[in-house]
C-alpha cells in the first residue's frame, strides 16, 4: 500500500502522466494530503504503488470496493488513477500491476472489475482491451 512518503511521486504520475517528473520538484498541497489520508482511512479503498525495490515509485492505482444491489448484490471493484512511469511503459509492468489488482478484487469476492479512462487516452484503451476489458458503457461526468 502507498504511504505518505509516496505522495509526491503519485502526484507527479497523476499530474504529468506523459512526462517523467522528479517527485522532489512536486508540491503536494493540503488537498492532496487530506484526500490521501481519507483513502487510507477508508476500508473500501486502497491506494497502491509499485516500486523498484529502492523506494522509487514506478506506478500507482486506486482500488475501490463498491457494494450494490446490481449484479444480484455482488460487490464490484473500481480501478482508478492508473499510471505507470513514462520511462517504464511497454515492458509489462502495467500488465503485471493490473493483473495483481484484478486478482486482489477476485480474492475479495468481487464479481466485476470496472474502470474509466479519459477518451483521449487511446493507448491506455488498447492496453485495457488487451487485458480483457470491454468498453460496454458510455460514462458521463458533471463537475460540481
Amino acid at each position: 500500500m502507498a504511504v505518505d512518503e509516496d505522495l509526491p511521486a503519485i502526484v507527479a504520475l497523476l499530474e504529468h502522466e506523459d512526462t517523467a517528473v522528479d517527485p522532489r520538484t512536486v508540491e503536494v498541497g493540503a488537498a492532496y494530503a487530506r484526500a490521501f489520508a481519507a483513502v487510507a482511512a477508508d476500508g473500501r479503498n486502497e491506494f497502491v504503488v509499485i516500486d523498484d525495490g529502492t523506494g522509487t515509485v514506478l506506478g500507482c492505482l486506486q482500488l475501490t470496493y463498491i457494494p450494490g444491489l446490481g449484479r444480484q448484490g455482488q460487490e464490484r471493484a473500481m480501478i482508478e488513477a492508473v499510471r505507470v512511469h513514462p520511462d517504464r511503459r511497454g515492458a509489462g509492468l502495467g500488465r503485471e500491476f493490473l493483473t495483481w489488482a484484478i486478482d486482489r478484487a477476485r480474492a475479495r469476492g468481487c464479481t466485476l472489475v470496472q474502470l474509466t479512462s479519459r477518451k483521449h487516452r487511446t493507448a491506455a484503451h488498447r492496453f485495457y482491451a488487451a487485458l480483457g476489458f470491454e468498453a460496454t458503457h458510455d460514462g458521463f461526468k458533471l463537475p460540481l
Side-chain angles (χ1 to χ4, degrees), residues 8 21 24 38 51 54 64 81 93 101 105 116 126 129:
V21 172
R24 294 173 296 187
D51 67 38
T54 69
T64 301
L93 186 63
T116 60
R126 286 190 301 274

Side-chain angles (χ1 to χ4, degrees), residues 100-138:
W100 174 88
I102 293 164
D103 289 344
R104 188 161 179 85
R106 185 179 290 116
R108 184 180 167 107
C110 294
T111 61
L112 179 77
V113 175
Q114 61 190 35
L115 57 81
T116 60
S117 181
R118 290 184 304 218
K119 290 190 178 218
H120 78 275
R121 298 185 74 214
T122 55
H125 302 168
R126 286 190 301 274
F127 169 70
Y128 297 136
L131 287 171
F133 285 89
E134 296 179 44
T136 59
H137 295 71
D138 283 329

